[in-house]
């Protein structure tokens, strides 16, 4: 009886169970691929203007059009690239009902030149950069004489406005600091065809590249390497052996090391691929990813880059400013100098209080506090000599853990063994730890399912310092600083500055994701700034079929 529960017969049961789990996972993967193989996604991208100074912030909004309404993407990727396609800044933005808006700070040390803003979903990476949304930006660094040396000249493109989509202003000349009101009119025949509208009020010369379009040869999507992110940010990769051959049907573990220490596990498919859906979180988090223990040689994890690294040939335009742009850049620079003097950035960092957390498995069924007992020389004695729901057994000369429980499944599945909530499934490594480094051992003595795998309970060793007790972590393990959602706050004020302060706004108004009611007018208002120049109210409407409508109204701020 003892051999049947704890010995080699049980290992055979475990192998059969894992094979069944792999079969189910493979079937689910094939079904998912069949469901999404014909799915298409398209991003429509807008930003407040296209002429910026280095160190300014780009305000953007995007709408996603998806052919499958039962599998909507939840993550938008936004990047700022130079003409060599090098990423200068990257963000992951939450998609809420196929819409996202955010802001992207421009690095202050960029040289003057043309740059590219692009947006896409993870699923779109299967079709390549030709399917992404692109915007061409002109960025000027007044503090540097260096410029990006291009190879061709940029020619501005005019786009005709659309009948039935108009902007009405009460006047064409407004004094500084005065209130400006305008209306957006949408014709009845556009009823139901407009997905959303973005509006901005900017200097007229700040939209010189707004109608640029990138023409790239389409890539052949003969494989579906990336799954759609319908539940949140994901991490994927490939497991290989020491010779670089892919390894299927083996376990991969992931732990969010900081804060709540979420844990998850997956079994690789026949191509060695694994895919994790990460917890909903902001900022950057520390992750530890490792392969499960095996007797068949070393393993190596190849983690997919979270941003697109597909090669793309971008146009390299010679940098030049028109006389109107030169005048505007000088005015914008003056505003920036005043902003730094009168509105310095808050240099105080918000200190977050330490957070206590509940482990992903909840409240353990049993807890063994090591300090409650006389110190024993080796860790194994705490399991076998003290009252515990965990015992150390031996089969074929190798030790293994067994959690004692009344559920019959506990005799079938191996337990999940954790050290500071990182999976360590090599019992010899765990048992080599010094008991002096441990605070407690938490036990869950019922079957526990995580991801694709069912475990025969949980054995969780918590160290006193949270430093893994100097254990030799798996050689395949990788610590990653992984980017989650970006929540950079940037509000463009429609209100002018106080009377005794300078008004330093270069964008006077920005209304992303504005609904358009056909046959009705919508009213908006903003305050003119101190910069006296020609401005434009620019409205860009995205239709349900992916096309764009444009409406503009020019005016001047002056005396």
């Amino acid at each position: 009886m003892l051999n049947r529960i704890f010995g080699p017969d049980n290992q055979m049961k475990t192998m059969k169970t894992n094979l069944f789990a792999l079969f189910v996972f493979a079937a689910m993967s094939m079904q998912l691929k069949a469901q999404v193989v014909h799915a298409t996604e398209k991003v429509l991208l807008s930003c407040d203007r296209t002429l910026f100074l280095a160190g300014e912030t780009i305000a953007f909004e995007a709408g996603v059009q998806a052919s499958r309404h039962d599998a909507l993407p939840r993550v938008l990727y936004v990047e700022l690239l130079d003409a060599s396609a090098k990423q200068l800044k990257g963000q992951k933005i939450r998609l809420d009902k196929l819409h996202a808006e955010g802001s992207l700070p421009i690095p202050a040390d960029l040289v003057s030149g043309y740059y590219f803003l692009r947006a896409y979903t993870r699923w779109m990476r299967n079709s390549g950069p030709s399917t992404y949304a692109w915007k061409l930006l002109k960025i000027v660094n007044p503090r540097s004489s260096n410029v990006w040396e291009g190879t061709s000249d940029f020619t501005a493109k005019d786009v005709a406005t659309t009948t039935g989509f108009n902007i009405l202003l009460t006047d064409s000349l407004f004094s500084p600091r005065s209130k400006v009101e305008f209306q957006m009119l949408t014709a009845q025949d556009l009823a139901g065809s407009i997905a959303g509208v973005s509006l901005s009020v900017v200097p007229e010369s700040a939209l010189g590249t707004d109608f640029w379009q990138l023409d790239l040869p389409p890539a052949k999507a003969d494989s579906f390497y990336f799954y759609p992110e319908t539940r949140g940010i994901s991490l994927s990769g490939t497991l290989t052996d020491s010779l670089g051959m892919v390894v299927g049907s083996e376990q991969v573990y992931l732990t969010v090391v900081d804060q709540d220490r979420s844990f998850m596990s997956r079994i690789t498919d026949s191509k060695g691929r694994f895919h994790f859906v990460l917890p909903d979180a902001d900022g950057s988090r520390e992750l530890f990813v490792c392969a499960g223990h095996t007797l068949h040689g070393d393993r190596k994890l190849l983690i997919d880059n979270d941003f697109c690294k597909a090669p793309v040939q971008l146009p390299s335009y010679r940098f030049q400013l028109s006389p109107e742009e030169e005048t505007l850049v000088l005015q914008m620079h003056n505003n920036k100098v005043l902003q730094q003097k009168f509105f310095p950035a808050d240099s105080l960092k918000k200190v977050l209080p330490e957070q206590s957390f509940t482990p992903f498995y909840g409240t353990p069924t049993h807890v063994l506090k090591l300090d409650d007992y006389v110190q024993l020389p080796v860790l194994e004695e705490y399991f076998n000599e003290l009252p515990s729901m965990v015992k150390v057994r031996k089969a074929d000369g190798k030790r293994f853990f067994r959690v004692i429980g009344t559920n019959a499944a506990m005799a079938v599945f191996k337990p999940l063994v954790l050290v500071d909530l990182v999976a360590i499934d090599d019992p010899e490594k765990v048992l080599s730890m010094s008991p002096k480094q441990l605070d407690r051992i938490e036990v869950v003595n019922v079957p526990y399912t995580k991801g694709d795998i069912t475990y025969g309970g949980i054995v969780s060793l918590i160290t006193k310092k949270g430093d893994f007790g100097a254990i030799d972590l798996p050689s395949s393990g990788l610590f990653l600083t992984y980017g989650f959602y970006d929540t950079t706050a940037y509000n463009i004020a429609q209100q002018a500055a106080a009377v005794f302060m300078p008004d330093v706004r270069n964008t006077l108004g920005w209304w992303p994701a504005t609904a358009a009611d056909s046959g009705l007018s919508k009213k908006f208002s903003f305050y003119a700034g101190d910069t006296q120049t020609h401005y434009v109210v620019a409205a860009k409407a995205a239709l349900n079929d992916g096309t764009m409508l444009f409406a503009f109204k020019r005016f001047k701020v002056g005396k």
Side-chain angles (χ1 to χ4, degrees):
M1 185 66 167
L2 183 65
N3 183 58
R4 185 157 57 90
I5 296 178
F6 296 113
D9 289 346
N10 176 54
Q11 295 177 0
M12 181 62 71
K13 291 182 181 180
T14 302
M15 183 174 67
K16 291 180 179 179
T17 303
N18 284 340
L19 287 174
F20 176 74
L22 177 63
F23 172 78
V24 173
F25 175 64
M28 291 175 62
S29 299
M30 293 177 62
Q31 183 181 24
L32 174 62
K33 182 174 179 179
Q35 289 176 346
V36 302
V37 67
H38 298 298
T40 59
E41 293 174 0
K42 180 179 181 179
V43 176
L44 302 175
L45 178 66
S46 297
C47 46
D48 58 329
R49 46 192 162 99
T50 59
L51 177 63
F52 294 91
L53 300 182
E56 282 197 296
T57 298
I58 305 165
F60 65 85
E61 69 96 17
V64 178
Q65 296 180 332
S67 61
R68 286 183 58 90
H69 297 290
D70 57 344
L72 301 181
R74 297 280 300 276
V75 188
L76 181 75
Y77 293 79
V78 181
E79 296 180 274
L80 180 65
L81 310 177
D82 63 19
S84 69
K86 175 185 176 182
Q87 187 200 76
L88 305 171
K89 207 81 173 179
Q91 293 181 346
K92 301 168 190 173
I93 309 296
R94 283 185 179 86
L95 280 167
D96 182 13
K97 298 179 181 178
L98 299 177
H99 174 260
E101 56 186 79
S103 57
L104 190 146
I106 301 172
D109 59 351
L110 293 189
V111 300
S112 299
Y114 287 92
Y115 295 84
F116 301 86
L117 188 71
R118 72 178 181 183
Y120 54 91
T121 65
R122 190 175 180 86
W123 175 247
M124 292 171 64
R125 290 176 65 178
N126 293 307
S127 302
S130 63
T131 63
Y132 301 170
W134 294 84
K135 298 292 287 186
L136 179 65
L137 307 179
K138 185 181 286 189
I139 298 176
V140 184
N141 190 338
R143 297 182 180 276
S144 174
S145 60
N146 296 326
V147 299
W148 186 276
E149 298 293 341
T151 58
S152 61
D153 293 326
F154 170 76
T155 303
K157 179 182 179 181
D158 292 328
V159 174
T161 56
T162 305
T163 303
F165 182 58
N166 299 302
I167 298 294
L168 295 182
L169 269 172
T170 56
D171 206 341
S172 60
L173 177 64
F174 298 90
S175 59
R177 306 276 181 134
S178 62
K179 185 176 182 179
V180 182
E181 297 179 337
F182 69 93
Q183 298 179 58
M184 180 180 69
L185 301 178
T186 308
Q188 189 67 46
D189 58 1
L190 294 175
S193 61
I194 297 181
V197 181
S198 64
L199 298 103
S200 61
V201 182
V202 297
E204 184 176 5
S205 299
L207 290 174
T209 63
D210 203 29
F211 312 119
W212 169 88
Q213 292 181 335
L214 180 62
D215 185 18
L216 292 174
K220 184 179 180 181
D222 54 358
S223 63
F224 297 93
Y225 202 70
F226 299 102
Y227 285 110
E229 292 180 314
T230 58
R231 292 185 290 162
I233 292 174
S234 62
L235 180 145
S236 60
T238 305
L239 180 65
T240 69
D241 61 18
S242 58
L243 299 178
M245 303 297 290
V246 299
V247 178
S249 67
E250 288 194 1
Q251 296 185 32
V252 177
Y253 305 117
L254 182 149
T255 300
V256 182
V257 178
D258 57 354
Q259 294 184 12
D260 61 353
R261 296 206 173 189
S262 301
F263 170 82
M264 54 197 72
S265 60
R266 292 291 183 270
I267 297 178
T268 57
D269 64 16
S270 60
K271 296 182 179 180
R273 296 286 294 167
F274 56 88
H275 179 94
F276 293 99
V277 178
L278 301 178
D280 187 82
D282 300 332
S284 296
R285 306 289 291 274
E286 294 295 324
L287 308 180
F288 181 73
V289 190
C290 68
H293 177 63
T294 177
L295 301 177
H296 304 294
D298 293 335
R299 297 293 183 251
K300 184 178 181 180
L301 291 168
L302 305 177
I303 305 297
D304 298 330
N305 199 298
D306 45 350
F307 288 92
C308 175
K309 294 299 179 183
V312 56
Q313 186 68 41
L314 297 175
S316 180
Y317 296 120
R318 297 184 185 93
F319 178 77
Q320 55 187 0
L321 294 173
S322 67
E324 294 80 10
E325 288 175 328
E326 289 181 353
T327 301
L328 176 59
V329 166
L330 179 60
Q331 293 171 325
M332 292 169 64
H333 178 61
N334 290 338
N335 285 340
K336 186 176 180 181
V337 172
L338 291 172
Q339 181 182 29
Q340 293 172 342
K341 181 177 181 180
F342 289 91
F343 308 98
D346 186 3
S347 60
L348 297 177
K349 293 185 178 180
K350 185 178 181 181
V351 178
L352 296 176
E354 290 190 13
Q355 297 180 347
S356 60
F357 60 88
T358 301
F360 65 87
Y361 49 80
T363 303
T365 54
H366 298 81
V367 178
L368 177 67
K369 293 281 292 184
L370 272 67
D371 288 344
D372 291 345
Y373 299 90
V374 175
Q375 184 175 327
L376 300 175
V378 294
L379 186 56
E380 181 175 353
E381 294 188 15
Y382 283 88
F383 294 109
N384 290 342
E385 302 298 332
L386 297 179
S388 170
M389 300 304 297
V390 183
K391 300 300 178 184
V392 177
R393 300 299 188 222
K394 183 177 288 188
D396 296 333
K398 297 185 180 298
R399 293 182 292 180
F400 60 92
F401 291 100
R402 183 61 60 194
V403 178
I404 308 302
T406 57
N407 191 303
M410 299 295 289
V412 177
F413 300 101
K414 294 196 309 180
L416 173 63
V417 182
L418 307 165
V419 176
D420 287 336
L421 299 184
V422 168
I424 308 291
D425 63 355
D426 185 344
E428 297 298 331
K429 284 185 177 182
V430 175
L431 292 171
S432 68
M433 296 178 64
S434 170
K436 296 179 181 179
Q437 297 172 312
L438 293 178
D439 175 70
R440 64 191 184 276
I441 300 172
E442 298 183 346
V443 180
V444 176
N445 73 333
V446 293
Y448 187 89
T449 300
K450 190 70 175 178
D452 315 314
I453 308 166
T454 297
Y455 298 97
I458 295 175
V459 182
S460 180
L461 292 82
I462 308 297
T463 65
K464 294 177 179 178
K465 297 182 179 181
D467 58 358
F468 307 107
I471 192 173
D472 184 16
L473 294 174
S475 59
S476 64
L478 298 172
F479 280 99
L480 308 172
T481 301
Y482 203 73
F484 283 68
Y485 289 113
D486 186 277
T487 56
T488 303
Y490 178 63
N491 296 318
I492 296 178
Q494 272 75 252
Q495 180 72 42
V499 176
F500 55 87
M501 300 289 281
D503 190 309
V504 298
R505 294 173 298 153
N506 291 324
T507 295
L508 300 183
W510 169 243
W511 298 267
T514 301
D517 299 323
S518 302
L520 299 175
S521 66
K522 282 204 167 185
K523 295 183 178 180
F524 302 84
S525 66
F526 62 93
Y527 283 83
D530 293 339
T531 303
Q532 300 186 35
T533 187
H534 290 87
Y535 285 86
V536 61
V537 179
K540 289 161 274 190
L543 299 186
N544 294 325
D545 62 4
T547 58
M548 299 291 293
L549 303 181
F550 301 93
F552 304 95
K553 196 65 176 182
R554 294 169 175 83
F555 66 95
K556 182 179 179 180
V557 173
K559 296 180 180 178

